[in-house]
Amino acid sequence: GIRAEIKAAYDEQMQKGNKLIRYIDGYDIIGAKDMDCGTVDRVHPNDYGFSLYVKAIKPVLKEFLHI
């Protein structure tokens, strides 16, 4: 599927030494236990769901930007 293709493209870039990309798997952001309270329709995040995205992305972004 598309997730596997994206991950394979990321892995290929990492093997080539590309340091300008990061991979965050969205399935790890809103887990099964938060699916009902973190989404509007089990697909689209609500305010709580977006707070989970911030929590997951913020440390990666800080590391990437060296801050």
Side-chain angles (χ1 to χ4, degrees):
I2 189 71
R3 286 179 63 236
E5 291 178 36
I6 292 169
K7 181 68 168 89
Y10 168 79
D11 291 341
E12 179 182 335
Q13 288 299 308
M14 291 303 291
Q15 288 177 350
K16 291 180 179 179
N18 186 340
K19 305 223 185 283
L20 299 176
I21 60 172
R22 298 295 181 268
Y23 179 81
I24 301 171
D25 191 337
Y27 281 106
D28 297 334
I29 295 175
I30 299 179
K33 70 179 183 72
D34 291 317
M35 191 60 63
D36 288 329
C37 62
T39 66
V40 177
D41 55 5
R42 300 189 58 82
V43 176
H44 300 93
N46 58 20
D47 289 347
Y48 175 64
F50 277 112
S51 74
L52 296 174
Y53 271 83
V54 170
K55 186 177 178 180
I57 293 170
K58 186 177 178 179
V60 176
L61 187 58
K62 287 178 81 169
E63 180 267 328
F64 182 72
L65 297 174
H66 306 288
I67 55 174

